[in-house]
Amino acid sequence: MSHRARPFRPPTGSIDPPAPDLGLFQRSGWPLVILAVLEVLWLGWFLVEPLPNAPTSNGTIRRGLLALHLLPGVVPGVTFRDSLLGKALGEFSDAANLPQRLPIVAAAGLIVLAAVGLGDLILRRCRMDDRCGVAARLAIDYMLGTVVLGLTTLIVGRIGIPGAWVVRLALLTVGVAGAYASKFWSWTRVRLDAGAWTALAVVAPFALMMILGSMLPAIDFDVLEYHLQGPKEYYEAGRIAFLPHNVYTNMPFGVEMLHLLGMEVMGDWWWGGLTGQLLVAFFGLCAAILIASTANRLGGWRAGCLAGLIYLTTPWIYRLGVIAYVEGPLCGFQAALLWAFVRGRTEPEHSPSRLWAFLGFLAGGATACKYTAVLPSVIPFGVLSLVDAWRGRSLRPVVAFVLGWSVVMGPWMIKNVIDTGNPVYPLAYRVFGGRDWTEAREAQWTRAHGPRPASFELLRASVVDVAGRSDWQSPLYTAFIPLVLLNPRARRIAGWLGLYLAWMFLSWWMLTHRLDRFWLPMLPAAAVLAGLGADWSKSLAWRVVRAGVLTLGVATNLVYSSTALSGLNEWTGDLEALRADIPHRLNAPLAKLDAELPSDAKILLVGQAAVYHLRHSILYNTVFNPETIETMASGRTAEEFRQALHDRRVSHVYVDWKEINRHRHPAGYGFTDFVTPDRFAAWVSAGVLSGPISVGMEQDLYEVR
């Protein structure tokens, strides 16, 4: 039998499914009362559970306490100005600064135009454009196009980054040509009803805060160390090359290429970084659209609206939009994979080979965000391609999936082979080896990033965190997902998605170091299930209960997202003032150093790697790279060390003992024993360095003599 005759199709719903048989729930009101009580108990727990990551200097922070401070007068003595609503509105009060964002928006718009043009070409080639609404089509086009732009930036950047005007004209040409070829004027348009407009109104504040927040200076350590710092170094060097001092830049850098592209379009690394951050935020909006489209196809328009609303009002999604982590784009690709798979299985006219190539390309886009995407993206859909191949007695699905993935990941792996000899550097050292990597460094990396101990108590704690205790989690997933079992038309769908969620959770828990961001790829599938569960009944009684749960959940999420607990929230602040002020807030000694040293000074940093905001020329390294000062001084005399410093034009040495001690703590990543106060004292005595100048409580500055 041919492959097309026996396709593998997990059960799906229809766009307009018949009303479910609610059985006991139709004949008696008591089960619904019990359900309402359970929802109240769940929300009550959610509101009183202490937030594990929130600062506790002023006492334990609970969501319920934050909610009480939303409006004035609820808590005695809280005025409107002191209320969280008043503070949030105050952050929107500097509207005169919004024109500063226009160049950022224009640059991002140019890149989006090119991405959509390229993405739509792929969509049409794979024949996935039929019956695709405008919003979903733009969303999937953007995600596909960013993959192409990332690969193009990598390949061209290895030779040499072109000038700004060359890049701008190329993007404009591609964007205009792509828009014309797409015949966008003939796309399928969907008329929104009152329910859809209501959902849009609910998510609008979250989207507005996220878009404005993404255009604020970066504050997160990982972003300052490599997500933005790597592209900055490429931009300043004029090409993409191996950075021996920053191991993280050897990871797949698909998302970071958008930052580099933004820097080139803007002609400036700092303003271009803000452009890249805005492009990252767009992935959250695209994911919500694709989630809504998927749930709509499986359960109807109401389930779609609810699923998109639940996802976009999750504080985690807001946080991923305002902090340039790669998990936001990764969640976007997860949503795209679900969308494409469901479309392919509910529209049998799609070519299986094209569908699996399309899915492989999206899985490659996910992997280009970070290696851990292999767990939620590549393995599950790779297994499904194998099942489809077995059912159809043909290897075409597997071959197509692998080829689609390889088109994206091949260039990144070739880059690593050229630079380090290891296609997945710094992973798989014992298989491939790797430049500048040793057994000691492998042990250090494994200790920091390897799987954690397993016990029932740790598992229970992780389940509770994912269900709702995590600071940035929404209560709406746990409130609605179990209800999908009450919906006969969605039970089999729930079984498939439930297995998918179980795999993602267990693989995160067993195979990673359990960083909370690493389980976030669960959210797109969870949002689809929550949308289906929230729409289990169309009775008036349930709609009243659901409205209450949604109101409390969304309001709580909005309150938390609007505070600095979820990220920098000075949405309309003066960008020039923030550029000068944020480094001082993050690391006052380092910012002072950067502001006061002569412009031609070159600083060797010891122990500090969050360096993106620095304007001076620097030498630094991450904790997993050879310590730069050790490579310059180890086995050499004092005079030879002095010469090495002069050869690299180092004028000052900055030592962050606080950061060094943090790494040396038993819970830290480890730090070389070579760096000690006695060694610096010896260099001072030998006349290599001047006496230390204290620039902070635990930071010293030395001048090279």
Side-chain angles (χ1 to χ4, degrees):
M1 187 172 290
S2 68
H3 175 71
R4 187 179 290 274
R6 296 186 61 190
F8 170 62
R9 294 186 186 135
T12 59
S14 60
I15 295 178
D16 295 304
D21 177 14
L22 302 179
L24 182 62
F25 282 88
Q26 285 182 326
R27 298 191 296 270
S28 169
W30 282 109
L32 188 58
V33 172
I34 294 172
L35 177 58
V37 171
L38 291 175
E39 295 286 3
V40 169
L41 292 174
W42 162 247
L43 292 173
W45 177 89
F46 183 80
L47 292 175
V48 302
E49 180 68 10
L51 296 170
N53 294 300
T56 57
S57 57
N58 297 321
T60 300
I61 296 180
R62 294 179 169 86
R63 296 180 181 91
L65 293 177
L66 291 175
L68 291 176
H69 285 77
L70 173 62
L71 299 173
V74 178
V75 175
V78 175
T79 65
F80 178 79
R81 185 174 181 177
D82 296 329
S83 68
L84 291 179
L85 177 60
K87 291 179 179 178
L89 292 177
E91 298 296 352
F92 284 102
S93 63
D94 296 324
N97 294 319
L98 289 179
Q100 294 177 324
R101 279 80 173 165
L102 292 179
I104 302 171
V105 173
L110 180 61
I111 296 171
V112 169
L113 177 65
V116 170
L118 291 168
D120 202 72
L121 173 62
I122 297 173
L123 195 72
R124 297 195 310 272
R125 292 290 295 174
C126 292
R127 298 177 183 172
M128 295 285 288
D129 55 314
D130 292 339
R131 297 192 299 276
C132 186
V134 173
R137 186 163 180 172
L138 287 173
I140 193 68
D141 283 351
Y142 176 70
M143 302 191 68
L144 293 168
T146 57
V147 176
V148 178
L149 288 179
L151 290 173
T152 304
T153 304
L154 168 66
I155 294 169
V156 174
R158 289 289 291 191
I159 302 170
I161 300 174
W165 277 107
V166 173
V167 175
R168 294 167 188 164
L169 289 174
L171 290 171
L172 182 62
T173 301
V174 169
V176 172
Y180 179 78
S182 71
K183 299 180 180 179
F184 62 89
W185 54 87
S186 64
W187 288 4
T188 302
R189 288 168 175 79
V190 179
R191 181 175 297 174
L192 301 180
D193 60 11
W197 282 111
T198 301
L200 288 174
V202 171
V203 303
F206 291 87
L208 178 62
M209 292 190 307
M210 185 166 68
I211 293 302
L212 290 176
S214 69
M215 291 185 281
L216 295 175
I219 60 174
D220 182 80
F221 186 94
D222 287 0
V223 175
L224 300 175
E225 184 184 33
Y226 60 96
H227 289 308
L228 283 174
Q229 176 60 23
K232 174 188 174 182
E233 293 187 53
Y234 296 149
Y235 174 77
E236 292 183 325
R239 65 183 296 266
I240 297 172
F242 177 66
L243 303 181
H245 51 276
N246 196 325
V247 66
Y248 294 105
T249 58
N250 298 288
M251 305 290 187
F253 247 35
V255 177
E256 288 80 0
M257 291 296 98
L258 298 179
H259 298 302
L260 178 57
L261 197 56
M263 292 173 186
E264 192 58 40
V265 171
M266 291 292 286
D268 180 86
W269 61 265
W270 193 83
W271 290 95
L274 299 183
T275 302
Q277 291 175 191
L278 178 57
L279 294 171
V280 169
F282 288 155
F283 281 91
L285 303 179
C286 292
I289 292 170
L290 295 175
I291 288 166
S293 178
T294 302
N296 174 55
R297 185 170 293 272
L298 294 175
W301 69 267
R302 187 178 291 105
C305 289
L306 290 166
L309 182 151
I310 290 167
Y311 182 81
L312 201 54
T313 60
T314 302
W316 261 122
I317 303 309
Y318 168 78
R319 182 170 174 80
L320 295 178
V322 301
I323 299 178
Y325 293 138
V326 296
E327 280 77 10
L330 175 53
C331 286
F333 282 106
Q334 286 295 113
L337 282 163
L338 282 174
W339 175 86
F341 185 73
V342 169
R343 283 205 69 205
R345 294 317 184 187
T346 55
E347 299 175 1
E349 67 272 16
H350 285 297
S351 163
S353 295
R354 290 177 186 268
L355 173 64
W356 283 112
F358 190 77
L359 289 167
F361 189 87
L362 289 173
T367 315
C369 294
K370 63 188 310 176
Y371 283 132
T372 55
V374 169
L375 299 176
S377 303
V378 180
I379 292 177
F381 288 92
V383 169
L384 289 175
S385 73
L386 285 169
V387 174
D388 212 0
W390 178 76
R391 290 289 185 94
R393 304 295 190 269
S394 169
L395 287 176
R396 284 184 294 173
V398 177
V399 173
F401 182 80
V402 172
L403 286 176
W405 182 86
S406 300
V407 165
V408 180
M409 283 305 297
W412 292 106
M413 298 173 76
I414 292 171
K415 166 189 172 291
N416 269 351
V417 169
I418 294 172
D419 289 343
T420 71
N422 179 345
V424 291
Y425 186 87
L427 307 182
Y429 166 73
R430 291 186 172 85
V431 177
F432 300 108
R435 177 176 174 178
D436 296 335
W437 211 250
T438 64
E439 287 290 343
R441 208 163 302 283
E442 174 71 9
Q444 181 190 14
W445 178 272
T446 302
R447 186 170 60 252
H449 297 92
R452 294 296 183 254
S455 71
F456 177 78
E457 182 56 31
L458 291 173
L459 177 62
R460 185 197 66 81
S462 294
V463 170
V464 174
D465 285 343
V466 173
R469 184 166 57 195
S470 170
D471 298 58
W472 305 281
Q473 180 61 307
S474 169
L476 300 177
Y477 296 97
T478 300
F480 292 138
I481 286 177
L483 305 185
V484 75
L485 299 176
L486 300 176
N487 190 341
R489 68 176 182 266
R491 285 177 188 160
R492 298 182 70 191
I493 300 167
W496 285 99
L497 290 178
L499 285 174
Y500 186 35
L501 287 174
W503 160 255
M504 285 191 281
F505 175 83
L506 291 175
S507 61
W508 163 76
W509 199 80
M510 297 176 65
L511 302 176
T512 76
H513 60 301
R514 298 179 200 155
L515 191 65
D516 52 3
R517 298 201 310 269
F518 285 21
W519 60 258
L520 297 184
M522 296 174 62
L523 291 179
V528 171
L529 269 181
L532 296 172
D535 194 38
W536 72 272
S537 170
K538 294 176 176 58
S539 68
L540 177 61
W542 167 244
R543 282 185 285 166
V544 171
V545 173
R546 180 178 65 198
V549 174
L550 284 170
T551 299
L552 183 58
V554 170
T556 304
N557 292 343
L558 184 60
V559 169
Y560 193 73
S561 297
S562 70
T563 69
L565 296 171
S566 290
L568 189 62
N569 63 343
E570 299 171 36
W571 300 299
T572 58
D574 184 330
L575 292 182
E576 291 287 2
L578 287 172
R579 181 177 189 179
D581 187 45
I582 289 299
H584 284 274
R585 298 189 211 175
L586 298 174
N587 191 326
L590 191 60
K592 179 181 178 182
L593 187 77
D594 193 42
E596 295 181 355
L597 286 181
S599 60
D600 60 348
K602 186 173 184 179
I603 313 164
L604 169 59
L605 300 163
V606 182
Q608 182 56 253
V611 296
Y612 175 69
H613 289 306
L614 296 181
R615 305 190 195 205
H616 276 86
S617 179
I618 60 171
L619 293 178
Y620 78 101
N621 58 270
T622 77
V623 72
F624 294 106
N625 290 102
E627 190 62 37
T628 304
I629 197 168
E630 183 175 3
T631 62
M632 297 174 72
S634 181
R636 297 182 179 181
T637 65
E639 187 56 39
E640 289 172 334
F641 175 42
R642 185 212 309 270
Q643 187 59 49
L645 291 170
H646 283 297
D647 288 345
R648 302 192 68 173
R649 300 180 181 177
V650 175
S651 61
H652 295 80
V653 178
Y654 172 83
V655 187
D656 192 330
W657 296 109
K658 179 180 180 180
E659 192 71 2
I660 290 170
N661 291 332
R662 182 176 73 88
H663 286 308
R664 284 176 173 166
H665 187 275
Y669 287 166
F671 198 88
T672 176
D673 294 332
F674 182 84
V675 176
T676 64
D678 289 343
R679 194 176 297 277
F680 276 89
W683 287 328
V684 170
S685 298
V688 177
L689 303 175
S690 68
I693 302 171
S694 180
V695 292
M697 296 291 291
E698 300 177 80
Q699 292 84 18
D700 292 329
L701 177 67
Y702 299 84
E703 187 172 356
V704 178
R705 292 190 181 278

